Amino acid sequence: MMLDRPVALVTGASRGIGRACAVELARSGFDIAVNYLADEAGALETVRLVEQAGGRAVALQCDVSMYDAAKHLVQCSEELLGPIEVLVGNAGITRDALLIRMSEDDWDQVLDTNLKGVYNVTKWAVRSMARRRRGRIVNISSVVALRGNPGQANYAAAKAGIIGFTKSLAKEMARYGITANVVAPGYISTDMTENLPLDVKEAFKRQIPLGRPGTPADVAYAVAFLSSPQAGYITGQVLPVDGGLSSGLIL
Ligand code: NDP
């Protein structure tokens, strides 16, 4: 058994960007706690891919929007794999509607999962990081936080909140040697974007200077870098991974 691999907890790792982060971090030498909400089969497939990449992994069901459940998630992860070195706050949902039609429930669900979920898990994970005076936090925001998007006021607000949260955390945690950064993906091909109307997809693609949607792996490479020892002097930053979408490049 490998005893000294560090541990990463990735929320929302049953598919998409979270799964790619789990696999890339495993390739970089981490054991992985694979969190999911409902898709147990997907989470177990991520576990299999992590093991194939040389790491140990456990699948841990938890709704990150629930405060006490998030505490339990962190405790289970630490009991089963060891102290958390890297936390990737990736779990997220969309409930798109123009504000005029956006229900209170659409607002609450997105804020509770995407923003409060990040607070909930980070709150418990930083405790042992602070005790051990080491750790990396990488939260997944969105290009939408930087430029807004019609129909996504709830999502943009949550994702912008993640940036303010992470920048504050970076300042609070620097004294413990813990870094906290944000990755802001653009348009990435996953289940989340699969069901967008064709005209919206085409409009997005036309605005991407590099001319293609991103892949989950494109995002995972950035997350793995920010989780690495080589990124130890980078904190409080927002790294767009968006093919130039947010850069203002005009072709
Ligand atoms: P997917 O919809 O493919 O996957 C979402 C993941 O989040 C799943 O693993 C899902 O678990 C999990 N999840 C959802 N709600 C909860 C919850 N309450 N508790 C725990 N886990 C939960 O999304 P993507 O991979 O596309 O997106 C990943 C992150 O990247 C999200 O935060 C998203 O906002 C962000 N992002 C995505 C972009 C894109 O273009 N795809 C662009 C910018 C940002 P389960 O499968 O069990 O339901």
Side-chain angles (χ1 to χ4, degrees), residues 11-18 35-40 62-65 89-94 113-114 140-143 155 159 184-193:
T11 68
S14 55
R15 49 199 162 99
I17 292 169
N35 161 247
Y36 68 101
L37 176 63
D39 184 2
E40 186 181 14
C62 168
D63 180 345
V64 296
S65 70
N90 167 80
I93 57 169
T94 51
T113 299
N114 297 13
I140 307 299
S141 175
S142 167
V143 70
Y155 184 78
K159 292 299 188 181
Y187 174 45
I188 310 297
S189 299
T190 67
D191 291 353
M192 186 176 273
T193 47

Side-chain angles (χ1 to χ4, degrees), residues 116-178:
K116 192 178 174 213
V118 167
Y119 157 77
N120 286 343
V121 182
T122 310
K123 170 83 189 286
W124 300 112
V126 291
R127 290 181 170 218
S128 77
M129 286 183 187
R131 265 199 308 275
R132 288 180 302 114
R133 298 192 165 265
R134 55 186 298 143
R136 296 266 191 278
I137 294 158
V138 184
N139 287 322
I140 307 299
S141 175
S142 167
V143 70
V144 165
L146 308 173
R147 46 177 255 167
N149 203 28
Q152 291 199 306
N154 51 357
Y155 184 78
K159 292 299 188 181
I162 285 177
I163 294 176
F165 173 84
T166 309
K167 282 178 175 280
S168 303
L169 192 68
K171 292 194 162 143
E172 286 184 24
M173 290 295 144
R175 76 188 66 174
Y176 302 107
I178 299 168

